[in-house]
Amino acid sequence: MVFPTIEFAIFFPIVLALSWALMKRQWAWKPFILAASYVFYSAANPLFCLLIGALTLSNQAAAKLIHRSDDDRYRKRVVVAAVVLDLGTLGVFKYYGFFATETNGLLDKVGLGLPLPLAAIALPVGISFIVFQAISYAVDVYRRQIEPASTIDFGLYLSFFPHLVAGPIVRAKEFIPQLARPRDPAKVAVGAGVFLIVIGLVKKVAIADFLAREIVDPVFGVPQAYSAPDVLLASYAYAVQIFCDFSGYTDIAIGLALLMGFVFPQNFDRPYRARTFREFWRRWHMTLSRFLRDFLYIPLGGNRGGKLKTARNLMLTMVLGGLWHGAAWGFVLWGFIHGAALVIENVFRERMRWSPPGWLKWAIVFHIVVLAWIPFRAPDLDLAATFVSRLADWGPATLWSVPVVGVVALVIGLQLLPNKPLDAMRVSFERLHPAALGASMAVVIVLVTATISSQGVPPFIYFQF
Amino acid sequence: MSDKNPFILDRPTGRSLRARDAIACVFVAVLMLLVVKGQSIRSEGEKMDSGIERAVVLAVGHPAGWAADRIGLGDDVDRLTASLSPDDELSGPGGFDETAATGSSSKAVAPVTQDAFDPAALGEKPARLDKLNTLVATGDSLVQPLDVELARRLAPDGVKTLRDARLGTGISKSDLLDWGRLAVSQVRKQTPDAVVFFLGANEGFPFEAAGGKVVGCCGPAWAAQYATRARQMMQTYRQDADARVYWLLLPMPRDPDRQTIARAVNAAIIAAAQPYRAQVRVIDMAAVFTPGGRYRASMPVGGRATIVREPDGIHLNKAGSKVAADIVIGRLKSDFESLR
């Protein structure tokens, strides 16, 4: 089920009303929300619910075993087994086809006719997010940062529908404590929730889908047909599209959770205003960068052990982070560019006495980020190379229009502004009467749905990850 | 990457309301949407595939659409927001809903009938005819010695093969023989269950079009004239769907000038057969004997390189005719029960 659809517009009000009606009776509320979340997920494919169920039971069993034991070696073996199982699940569903194809190609080149069997395996929606959250639970129990939750609480943590398919990646220690007691019906951030839902809808439907339709999809599909002005604008437009698409989803997810009384972590904080790559990763997909830091970069050694090891750890973290997005060389290259940028940035920071002006640092970081999105978006590396090569072919601007250029400039420009005016707008909105909030939401939905093409709402980009 | 935790789990700074305010807010929004978008919900539901989701959406959409119809706000809202739609405005003429109404106007297209579809191509079992009693193998010199081969091999099945080769004739050469009239005559005399037609060694003559204008080979205008005549013959041979027609495309001849003619003839036959795919089988001999449009005198037959063309570079020789007969008989077998 996708958020901006009629099905979800029917599903959510019913679930919201019943959720608050049952809130004081936790024995009924928890199974109800668990069932609602599975219904939400089953809209994609009911069989995928079995997968979440299996991940829930296996990680819960591992957490219980880890918690019961004082033997460190045993605890370590169990947590390693749990992580291997989780990553194995991810590997089978997400990477097997890629691995088999690439391996077969390699074997063929060296003359070894031992092809691996190719299998078309359906990718469960949001599998990467679900697996990461399962890992965070098992590892946090192993690290004694949390105690194992009840099975139903852990099941709810993994499947809670607002964050089920595309995050944010909520850590077990952030969510499970919120299940310890009923949410307070006298303290619901209604205004903030509605504001985020409204902003998220505008970002996704009115901006991201508009840019995809008008410039990004045509140019990235057949870059040979366009010259530098269109290709340049398409690369900026994709940077805006993916931000609005993904942060729009996150805004809606956080807003829905707020209406249900839950708080999710922030995932974006105006990333295109970053002046360093380190800052970019504190602003972009914050819950993923936090996960990679805590579960990959630091266990690899982090910045302990010298400059070379730090560089190696950064590169490994970013390349694997790229690969997390999907089984394709474009994602690997995207991760490599970011990893290399972080390493080079560290070297410059340590060795350069002169610091460039802020605007120059921003321009460099922003344009490398935009460049890195090209292999991320392009269907394959050949087309990514073609896309970049078209930047040298100056010709007519066929796709430039006032709305497209205006939207791209507006979204990037708003990120460069201070937060105050936007915060003031949010606070004014939050002060509205509940009926006025509802009416405002309806008006925005009507306006936003008017911009939907007859093809419907495309899925969120991050659903495929 | 910093060791400092950049993560912020902050409760929003705005004021808190009660849970019932949250529900009220959402239900106000839902109520407004039902009033102004009720018809859209209903129509979206009707477009969905059958299943639980469709049933749920329609359970809401039908009453919401009914209410929205009576309140009438939806149309006003749609008008006000129409300029935001990325879809093209399609209110002009030419819609499918006008097809029936304007069926007789000069701009109307001829209706496509079910005869235009070969059921096998749609994955359906073709309507098979019971018995092949009479087969007419006709055409110009190209049909020889294919006609003999067919007669010989179909005889054990009780098929009477009438060989009617008209040497030196052509569809574009009607001063010598009018194939339109001959086809009618063949059908009237023999009422064949199947007709195998292979002709094209003598084509490329100009047509006289309407107004006395002469149309020379081999452009679209010539191909259109040729296709019209071929279609007329196909209509005759198929006998209102009672018979099957096997019309063979020309294998490329060796001579480049003749290749130009053969390409035009083949294109015209394919176009001509479109309305009658259910009964007219266009058998592509060009793909078999001259793949890629390149002439070749020999090809592998039964694993051995075999000469399949006559030295003239036009006709099939005996071995080539056997190959063609295999293909034609294969198609006959799929159309007639008695040959299985």
Side-chain angles (χ1 to χ4, degrees), chain A residues 172-408:
Chain A
K173 63 184 177 188
E174 294 151 5
F175 185 82
I176 289 173
Q178 297 186 56
L179 297 171
R181 64 188 70 84
R183 303 283 83 206
D184 187 349
K187 289 182 180 171
V188 183
V190 181
V194 171
F195 183 79
L196 285 169
I197 292 169
V198 163
I199 290 288
L201 282 172
V202 171
K203 280 182 180 173
K204 162 65 180 161
V205 182
I207 299 178
D209 293 350
F210 165 74
L211 290 175
R213 194 170 55 235
E214 295 296 318
I215 186 159
V216 175
D217 290 349
V219 178
F220 273 92
V222 193
Q224 304 90 321
Y226 299 92
S227 43
D230 287 336
V231 173
L232 195 64
L233 184 59
S235 52
Y236 290 127
Y238 182 65
V240 171
Q241 185 207 341
I242 192 166
F243 167 72
C244 287
D245 191 286
F246 191 20
S247 71
Y249 175 88
T250 307
D251 289 344
I252 297 170
I254 295 173
L256 294 172
L258 283 175
L259 292 184
M260 297 178 75
F262 288 88
V263 182
F264 283 173
Q266 280 189 42
N267 219 13
F268 293 90
D269 181 19
R270 296 172 295 158
Y272 294 141
R273 68 180 290 140
R275 292 176 177 183
T276 64
F277 282 91
R278 196 162 62 159
E279 185 187 354
F280 176 79
W281 280 101
R282 286 181 190 171
R283 293 176 176 277
W284 176 270
H285 204 174
M286 294 150 71
T287 57
L288 174 68
S289 39
R290 182 181 51 142
F291 183 94
L292 292 175
R293 185 199 62 195
D294 292 351
F295 293 92
L296 190 57
Y297 178 69
I298 291 174
L300 281 171
N303 56 6
R304 303 179 304 276
K307 289 169 191 168
L308 272 178
K309 280 192 177 169
T310 303
R312 179 202 67 184
N313 296 340
L314 274 173
M315 289 303 299
L316 268 175
T317 302
M318 297 314 296
V319 167
L320 289 173
L323 199 58
W324 171 83
H325 288 84
W329 289 113
F331 296 129
V332 174
L333 181 56
W334 174 78
F336 181 87
I337 293 171
H338 276 279
L342 283 164
V343 170
I344 293 167
E345 187 174 271
N346 278 349
V347 172
F348 270 91
R349 197 174 43 244
E350 286 165 11
R351 297 197 178 170
M352 270 182 69
R353 292 188 180 174
W354 172 75
S355 178
W359 65 267
L360 182 60
K361 288 200 283 190
W362 170 82
I364 293 168
V365 170
F366 176 69
H367 284 93
I368 293 175
V369 166
V370 169
L371 182 75
W373 285 129
I374 293 171
F376 189 94
R377 169 61 180 82
D380 55 52
L381 288 184
D382 286 344
L383 273 175
T386 306
F387 187 97
V388 173
S389 71
R390 299 303 295 167
L391 287 167
D393 182 50
W394 207 257
T398 60
L399 296 177
W400 285 55
S401 65
V402 172
V404 169
V405 176
V407 164
V408 170

Side-chain angles (χ1 to χ4, degrees), chain B residues 82-159:
Chain B
S83 61
L84 296 173
S85 173
D87 295 328
D88 294 329
E89 174 59 45
L90 298 177
S91 59
F96 292 144
D97 52 342
E98 296 171 5
T99 305
T102 59
S104 57
S105 80
S106 60
K107 286 185 180 174
V109 295
V112 176
T113 69
Q114 60 183 10
D115 283 338
F117 300 95
D118 179 358
L122 302 179
E124 288 197 353
K125 217 173 170 183
R128 291 163 64 85
L129 301 178
D130 284 343
K131 185 158 171 57
L132 175 58
N133 291 310
T134 308
L135 179 139
V136 168
T138 187
D140 62 1
S141 53
L142 286 175
V143 82
Q144 296 175 323
L146 171 66
D147 53 355
V148 178
E149 188 67 25
L150 288 172
R152 190 178 56 75
R153 289 171 60 180
L154 292 172
D157 292 306
V159 179

